[in-house]
Amino acid sequence: MARLKKILPSVINLNQSAFLEGRGLLDSILVANEMIDFLKKENMSGVFVKVDYEKAYDSVDWEFPYYMMGRLGFNGRWIRWIRACLESATVSVLVNGSPTEFRPKRGLRQGDPLAPFLFIIVAEGLSGLLREAKKANVFNGVKVGYERVSVDLLQFADDTILFCKPTYQNVLTVKAILRCFELVSGLRINFHKSAVGVVGISNLDMIFFSKCLNCRQMALPFKYLGVTIGGNPRRVVFWNPIIDKIKSRLSSWKGRMLSVAGRICLIKSVITALPQFYFSFFKAPKAVCNQIGKIQAKFLWGWGSDDRKIAWVKWSKVCCPVEAGGLGIKDIECFNDALLAKWKWRYRLMEKGLWAKVLNARYGNWRNLDVTLTHRRQSAWWQDLCRIFDKVELGNWFDRRS
């Protein structure tokens, strides 16, 4: 498994961001967000399709990963090892109290450390079909930025989204590719749970495309990998689901039953952790940070009590490290800035990643300008990031010496 993990990043396409070293969940989210923003800012049109698989791991045909490994250049001996690992498994179930064993003929065992790597090898087949379709000039993806980086597929394991130009031929090609991939891999596509969305074209065209694909319609903003894509993170209403989730975790009985030490532990483990995923990608407005800080302070000094409790220590002192006399509770705004500043460090390590190529394509012509300069064609994510770098004196995003 360790040897397979090392070799996969060199044979798996950059549009796959799951289970591979140096790639992560937020990579696909970033590309999807920049794609939608680019289409809207440049007054361009496009179609995106979210694909849903039925019991993805359980329906994989074993012959397909063997075939894909051969196409990717794996040695025959290695393929026989993988075959032995899959086909030697047995399943035991109780039938009327008696154990009955049988050998499965398809599917990847969830929990097996080898299964995630075999699944992304299977998913690479979809990327290969799209490449062949582009070579045959029957499919056109969406090109982003001034360097015209083509983005037609994003994958995080079985979470898949396709981008294409809004033409009938492209939509028919997508349907044919998905059907072919279903037949050869065994991954059954649930078209009723899949969804199609559009940017820059009429709702009538979206209805036409959805009927062609036999899937539901999807409006902007939409959820992808747990994050809202196409929304405005600078509006407070964008963060209401996060605020509501934090409040729901802090029922009044918890405040009455827990000691001060228990409340501190709950603040550190729950209130700070819940918005961490969104904080790693979006810059929260100051009003949202203040609102979360108030929830933390109220819970610490007497959540659930009828009387108003007095805050005996300044909140800035509470957020200091324990070594400095504080309680070690994270300051929400600083925590958000620190998570976003990590993107510059990641860019220097993964400059050849798909998300870095998309950023270079969109903002490469601004790389010699001041990072505080904003432009109407820049996404809100990029503008917020540049302001953070300027605030913490990190220098220019593209300056490799900083």
Side-chain angles (χ1 to χ4, degrees), residues 167-185:
T167 64
Y168 182 62
Q169 179 182 348
N170 280 337
V171 174
L172 278 182
T173 302
V174 167
K175 186 172 184 178
I177 288 174
L178 292 177
R179 179 56 179 161
C180 291
F181 183 64
E182 178 180 336
L183 291 175
V184 297
S185 68

Side-chain angles (χ1 to χ4, degrees), residues 102-119:
F102 64 92
R103 292 184 180 276
K105 299 296 183 182
R106 63 193 304 122
L108 303 175
R109 291 169 292 177
Q110 298 192 43
D112 183 355
L114 193 62
F117 303 115
L118 293 179
F119 187 84

